[in-house]
Amino acid sequence: MTNPQTNQQLFDSARDLMPGGVNSPVRAFGSVGGTPAFMVSAEGPYLTDAEGTQYVDLVGSWGPALLGHKPPQVIEAVHAAVDAGLGFGTSHPAETRLAELVRSRVQDEAGRGAEMIRMVSTGTEATMTAIRLARGATGRNLVIKFAGCYHGHSDGLLAAAGSGVATLGLPGSAGVTEAQASETIVIEYNDRAALEQVFAERGDDVAAVITEATPANMGVVPPGEGFNAFIREITSRHGALMIFDEVMTGFRITEAGYWGASGRVEGWLPDLFTFGKVIGGGLPTAAVAGRREIMEHLAPTGPVYHAGTLSGNPVAMAAGVATLEHATAEVYQHIDRQADVVASALGEALDAAGVDHSIQKVGSLFSVAFGTSAAGVSNYAQAQAQEAFRYGPFFHAMLEAGVYLPPSVFEAWFLSAAHDDAAVQRILDALPKAAEAAAAA
Ligand SMILES: Cc1ncc(COP(=O)(O)O)c(C=O)c1O
């Protein structure tokens, strides 16, 4: 075999060795078609592929790259950590430092919020552990989740999930037993009456309601006015826990995640939070956090088991610490501003091309939904009913112009502190032609 160089050659080799040629389904470009670009380096707002093509990146490693790619302060901290050893398999000071940073950001004036933290390696592990913890702490089995919310790929949470499951149009996953599925009740997002009904019928069996802080895996779908507060109220009323999944939004929407812009302002708190992505600054780290008396159910202080060979890995902790230390108020203001610019230009370009759409936006997270302006998108049924076929041509026109969008209409667009005006201008310049491609689809 000759040494593969082009994206096509690399994809062919990868497909021979790995299912679909990928290690995570959406990367295979299944819903947009074409050959995935094989990236070989990343810096600031840019990615460069194996053929030497440079793209403005709007995927941001699927969220972690809040400060942009290869931020010097994070790279320096990672180098120092590597020099000290790749892992100790023991406790070490950087774990406590990252936990302190999380707690200091995610707390109300009384110090309630992320009171205790357990580091894990992925968002999937965080939500899986949070569910086990909720069951262990309440002695109940049922979990309620919302259709279109994605909480990772643990068995019980794959029913009607967003992200890649939505992209592939799957109802769930093969390999999940009926017993596991039967312990998850799925209802439409933003549907208070359905939540009331489930609690009226089975309230005493419900261990937890898990929700994305603001859904962003069926495209971005803002919670209706007071919806999260309602989840808080109804779970408290029935002795169930509220798990607020901030894997996507944590330390991204504000310095205290989406809770910082909602619960902290409105005066409510979930029992448990899950974090991922930004907390690891690009390396594999995630966390479960929450009320002390619940967190203390985790082993070794309590009977709910969780462990991890790489939990709290020192190199990942160093990346997380450096990322949070440099995620200042200015960073969030910059990202919010640039997101406003790109989202407005996206809407204008689609209007100019006569493409019916809605821009779904919460803080700096946004996505586009085609053919939805009449009904809007406030749940999964509406997200799925959109004219998704317009996204492939739109995506490829942007790619052609050197802009790397998420390869699925159901994923959010991520900006970073490194998206300066020059990078944003490249996105703006590419939009009109892409909008025409969407119109022609
Ligand atoms: C809200 C949410 N929860 C959980 C996960 C799972 O995280 P991971 O991919 O790190 O397992 C994701 C991943 O996109 C997510 O967006």
Side-chain angles (χ1 to χ4, degrees):
M1 194 178 74
T2 53
N3 194 22
Q5 290 299 328
T6 65
N7 289 319
Q8 187 61 54
Q9 285 168 325
L10 287 163
F11 192 40
D12 290 344
S13 307
R15 269 192 298 198
D16 184 43
L17 287 160
M18 297 178 277
V22 293
N23 287 307
S24 195
V26 181
R27 297 179 197 169
F29 275 29
S31 75
V32 292
T35 305
F38 275 58
M39 302 303 175
V40 294
S41 66
E43 183 145 15
Y46 300 110
L47 290 173
T48 302
D49 73 12
E51 297 173 5
T53 307
Q54 190 196 56
Y55 308 85
V56 179
D57 180 26
L58 285 167
V59 178
S61 200
W62 298 98
L66 183 80
L67 302 179
H69 292 293
K70 247 175 83 180
Q73 313 92 326
V74 179
I75 296 297
E76 205 175 296
V78 167
H79 280 166
V82 167
D83 284 344
L86 292 179
F88 313 126
T90 68
S91 295
H92 61 90
E95 295 172 302
T96 313
R97 176 70 188 133
L98 186 55
E100 270 171 1
L101 284 169
V102 170
R103 176 155 78 189
S104 67
R105 284 173 169 240
V106 187
Q107 63 178 352
D108 65 12
E109 279 166 11
R112 297 173 315 162
E115 290 168 45
M116 297 193 93
I117 295 105
R118 167 63 57 93
M119 301 298 173
V120 300
S121 298
T122 66
T124 295
E125 194 187 351
T127 56
M128 179 188 78
T129 306
I131 296 284
R132 186 180 306 134
L133 184 51
R135 287 181 168 140
T138 59
R140 300 168 172 192
N141 288 348
L142 278 186
V143 169
I144 299 175
K145 84 173 278 286
F146 298 103
C149 282
Y150 180 66
H151 303 292
H153 61 90
S154 68
D155 288 340
L157 291 174
L158 273 178
S163 192
V165 184
T167 304
L168 298 175
L170 301 174
S173 170
V176 175
T177 65
E178 267 174 44
Q180 283 159 333
S182 69
E183 293 192 326
T184 307
I185 295 181
V186 183
I187 58 183
E188 278 292 4
Y189 191 67
N190 274 323
D191 188 343
R192 293 187 192 210
L195 202 51
E196 284 278 15
Q197 194 184 334
V198 173
F199 270 102
E201 287 166 8
R202 307 196 60 186
D204 290 348
D205 301 326
V206 177
V209 175
I210 183 166
T211 184
E212 279 189 61
T214 174
N217 281 293
M218 48 175 148
V220 174
V221 171
E225 180 79 28
F227 187 62
N228 279 321
F230 176 70
I231 297 173
R232 172 65 292 177
E233 187 276 316
I234 197 167
T235 45
S236 298
R237 196 171 0 125
H238 289 270
L241 303 188
M242 175 180 184
I243 303 172
F244 211 44
D245 182 352
E246 294 241 35
V247 167
M248 177 87 85
T249 49
F251 315 113
R252 171 166 284 278
I253 297 253
T254 71
E255 89 291 349
Y258 187 66
W259 176 76
S262 55
R264 185 155 73 185
V265 185
E266 296 159 16
W268 54 265
L269 263 172
D271 300 287
L272 293 172
F273 294 86
T274 51
F275 301 113
K277 301 190 188 267
V278 173
I279 195 178
L283 292 184
T285 280
V288 186
R291 268 168 46 202
R292 178 176 295 273
E293 66 268 29
I294 297 170
M295 291 298 292
E296 285 185 336
H297 281 82
L298 279 177
T301 42
V304 178
Y305 199 69
H306 161 266
T309 301
L310 293 175
S311 291
N313 171 269
V315 183
M317 294 295 102
V321 167
T323 298
L324 292 191
E325 282 178 346
H326 290 92
T328 58
E330 293 73 48
V331 163
Y332 293 102
Q333 283 157 15
H334 174 84
I335 297 175
D336 284 351
R337 215 172 28 242
Q338 299 297 53
D340 286 348
V341 171
V342 177
S344 311
L346 170 59
E348 282 161 22
L350 291 171
D351 282 341
V355 181
D356 182 87
H357 70 279
S358 45
I359 304 293
Q360 301 284 118
K361 187 166 180 298
V362 175
S364 65
L365 274 181
F366 62 94
S367 61
V368 60
F370 293 107
T372 54
S373 70
V377 182
S378 59
N379 62 33
Y380 192 37
Q382 289 166 337
Q384 282 182 308
Q386 71 175 286
E387 296 171 353
F389 59 87
R390 298 196 188 281
Y391 191 72
F394 177 83
F395 168 88
H396 278 289
M398 294 296 281
L399 194 68
E400 188 68 24
V403 179
Y404 192 77
L405 294 179
S408 162
V409 74
F410 296 110
E411 304 286 352
W413 301 20
F414 293 100
L415 284 141
S416 78
H419 283 78
D420 56 12
D421 292 344
V424 165
Q425 191 58 49
R426 269 174 67 172
I427 303 168
L428 305 192
D429 291 345
L431 284 169
K433 207 167 159 196
E436 278 161 29

